[in-house]
Amino acid sequence: MALTSAHPATPLLVCRLLALALTLALAAVASSARKIPDPITPISQDLYHSSDSILREIKALVARNSDRLTMDTVRASNKGYSAEMFVVTFNHAKGTVDDGSKIKIMLSFGQHGRELITSEVALSLLYILTEKRRIAGVDLSSFEKILENLVIKVVPMENFNGRKLVEAGELCDRRNGRGVDLNRNWSVDWGKKEKDYNPFEEDPGTAPFSEPEAQIMQELSKSFKPHIWVNVHSGMEALFMPYDHKNTTPDGAPSQLMRSLLENLNRRHFQDSCLVGSGGGAVGYLAHGTTTDYLFDVAKVPMPFTFEIYGDEKASTDDCFKMFNPVDKTTFDRVINKWCMAFLILFEEGLRILPGSQVASQGALDNWVPIGGEVLERIADQKSGSENRQLEGLDLGMQELKTYFRLFMLSTFLLMFMFCSRISKNRNRESGNF
């Protein structure tokens, strides 16, 4: 009798065990879907120089081209924190006397440590100014006349200490070596905080120019007195002019000249694909204590700009290296070539548009014909877009598979529940008949 009474309960026990197993499986699937983090892209050692190797290469380049290049090392310190900055000066004919007719241009790269691609552009541009007179097949020999009328200072890595932190693994860090955002440490509207203020990202320091890096750059603005200053960043593609701290551009003729130059550059080189306007108006948030606003309002630089040269909008906010830097060689080369050419066109536009310039632009780049360069870039763009679409398709496919699997597990669970309930009812009836 014991064997006979135990036998009918076996299916019910099996059903309960199966239901428990399905419940645990569903919970595991849901938990794994929640816990799997987005992959973090490391720095590609095949594409990017280390900070030390960039400086070694630039020093060697200066030594080989001493007739055109000089390099100064500037140091500053404040309250136990020190910074060192390397400033490269290009002058087509150093032996000639500068009678004031030359246009002075200041280019600053690497103000935020995580934006490695900017320093790579700086290195490539210095090569183009001296030794490599081609960009993606484009012959730049006709540009020589323009260079004769320029003095260009290049800071290839403004935030050397911050860059070291990124190379040590802090891939999302944009601040300097003691946690201050150098692009919030200048004096115009310093210290003001918006509602979405992020202290990790935007610490303005203890006072305007509390940071040695900002002190060095401020001194350069005073001693060099540039006509054009470009602060180069990554995160998107844009050509910005003042202001950053308010949603307007300056009034009057200077503002019109700046906008005209940027719109010409955007039309000629970017086919009107870049954002153009004030940083505060176009980005979607206001920034206070920035370099560009100080240069225009206080240092009286006629044309201070902020260029944003790259951004991956599809990258996770945790995957900072991928968000701010290209991670494949095709895109890397395309960004380098595109923005080096953009700077050359900027130089020409500056000569053309700045009032009082005694140099008539020869239009050397008006009709430049790429010998395969632009075509290659367009093919690369198409390929990149195709690859992105394939990846998007794979992502969507995986999401659909996960959804179908969860639905399958849920329907199986419901069927098992109905089956077990039926067995339970039958069991109860049988018990009632006894």
Side-chain angles (χ1 to χ4, degrees), residues 298-370:
V298 181
K300 305 302 180 184
V301 174
M303 292 190 171
F305 301 119
T306 299
F307 285 4
E308 297 272 355
I309 66 172
Y310 175 81
D312 186 344
E313 296 178 355
K314 296 179 181 178
S316 164
T317 54
D318 295 325
D319 194 4
C320 291
F321 182 74
K322 186 178 182 183
M323 180 181 290
F324 293 96
N325 307 278
V327 296
D328 64 89
K329 181 169 174 51
T330 299
T331 308
F332 178 90
D333 290 343
R334 176 166 52 83
V335 171
I336 296 291
N337 292 336
K338 179 167 65 174
W339 283 94
C340 283
M341 179 61 77
F343 281 112
L344 298 184
I345 296 175
L346 171 73
F347 300 159
E348 185 187 15
E349 287 291 337
L351 285 172
R352 188 199 309 274
I353 208 169
L354 277 169
S357 172
Q358 301 174 19
V359 182
S361 170
Q362 302 300 313
L365 299 179
D366 276 340
N367 299 306
W368 63 272
V369 179

Side-chain angles (χ1 to χ4, degrees), residues 139-430:
D139 186 358
L140 300 174
S141 57
S142 60
F143 193 69
E144 196 76 14
K145 184 66 176 176
I146 292 174
L147 293 180
E148 292 177 3
N149 299 288
L150 304 175
V151 178
I152 305 168
K153 283 190 182 293
V154 177
V155 176
M157 202 177 305
E158 181 180 330
N159 185 6
F160 185 77
N161 294 338
R163 171 66 179 263
K164 284 292 187 181
L165 292 176
V166 173
E167 291 175 346
E170 299 295 331
L171 298 180
C172 287
D173 207 331
R174 64 189 235 161
R175 306 166 301 171
N176 74 347
R178 62 175 172 189
V180 174
D181 183 349
L182 296 177
N183 205 28
R184 301 292 184 274
N185 192 232
W186 296 65
S187 61
V188 172
D189 217 35
W190 175 87
K192 184 175 180 179
K193 299 176 177 61
E194 296 294 316
K195 292 180 180 179
D196 59 351
Y197 168 73
N198 183 340
F200 178 81
E201 293 260 319
E202 301 179 272
D203 186 341
T206 57
F209 302 108
S210 62
E211 303 312 296
E213 296 94 341
Q215 294 171 9
I216 293 171
M217 297 304 289
Q218 181 195 31
E219 183 57 36
L220 280 173
S221 73
K222 294 177 179 179
S223 60
F224 185 49
K225 296 181 174 59
H227 301 93
I228 298 173
W229 182 307
V230 185
N231 190 11
V232 186
H233 287 270
S234 63
M236 61 192 306
E237 284 201 342
L239 307 169
F240 290 142
M241 57 187 283
Y243 289 108
D244 296 323
H245 72 282
K246 51 187 175 182
N247 187 13
T248 60
T249 55
D251 297 325
S255 179
Q256 294 173 9
L257 286 175
M258 282 189 284
R259 182 176 287 277
S260 177
L261 187 152
L262 293 183
E263 288 178 346
N264 288 344
L265 174 58
N266 194 30
R267 174 184 51 81
R268 289 179 59 185
H269 187 56
F270 296 103
Q271 294 75 51
D272 293 320
S273 63
C274 284
L275 283 175
V276 173
S278 72
V283 174
Y285 65 88
L286 301 181
H288 307 276
T290 67
T291 304
T292 300
D293 286 359
Y294 173 89
L295 293 173
F296 186 76
D297 271 1
V298 181
K300 305 302 180 184
V301 174
M303 292 190 171
F305 301 119
T306 299
F307 285 4
E308 297 272 355
I309 66 172
Y310 175 81
D312 186 344
E313 296 178 355
K314 296 179 181 178
S316 164
T317 54
D318 295 325
D319 194 4
C320 291
F321 182 74
K322 186 178 182 183
M323 180 181 290
F324 293 96
N325 307 278
V327 296
D328 64 89
K329 181 169 174 51
T330 299
T331 308
F332 178 90
D333 290 343
R334 176 166 52 83
V335 171
I336 296 291
N337 292 336
K338 179 167 65 174
W339 283 94
C340 283
M341 179 61 77
F343 281 112
L344 298 184
I345 296 175
L346 171 73
F347 300 159
E348 185 187 15
E349 287 291 337
L351 285 172
R352 188 199 309 274
I353 208 169
L354 277 169
S357 172
Q358 301 174 19
V359 182
S361 170
Q362 302 300 313
L365 299 179
D366 276 340
N367 299 306
W368 63 272
V369 179
I371 308 172
E374 189 174 75
V375 176
L376 286 173
E377 289 179 7
R378 287 176 180 169
I379 292 173
D381 282 338
Q382 293 168 2
K383 180 179 178 183
S384 176
S386 174
E387 290 173 350
N388 287 336
R389 286 191 293 272
Q390 291 175 6
L391 289 173
E392 289 171 8
L394 287 172
D395 288 340
L396 289 172
M398 289 300 295
Q399 291 173 10
E400 290 178 358
L401 283 174
K402 288 178 181 179
T403 301
Y404 292 148
F405 179 71
R406 290 167 187 163
L407 289 173
F408 169 75
M409 294 291 288
L410 181 60
S411 60
T412 304
F413 176 79
L414 291 173
L415 286 172
M416 290 299 301
F417 178 77
M418 293 170 62
F419 176 66
C420 293
S421 298
R422 185 67 176 267
I423 290 176
S424 178
K425 289 179 181 178
N426 290 339
R427 174 64 178 161
N428 290 336
R429 291 195 191 100
E430 291 174 2

Side-chain angles (χ1 to χ4, degrees), residues 24-76:
L24 292 174
L26 282 170
V29 169
S31 176
S32 62
R34 288 193 304 267
K35 291 181 179 178
I36 295 176
D38 292 320
I40 302 300
T41 307
I43 297 174
S44 173
Q45 305 298 330
D46 295 333
L47 294 178
Y48 291 86
H49 295 78
S50 68
S51 53
D52 291 332
S53 66
I54 282 183
L55 294 179
R56 282 197 302 270
E57 201 159 326
I58 290 175
K59 288 177 181 178
L61 184 66
V62 171
R64 293 195 304 271
N65 296 274
S66 58
D67 59 326
R68 296 189 177 196
L69 296 180
T70 56
M71 183 169 176
D72 297 307
T73 303
V74 187
R75 300 177 180 86

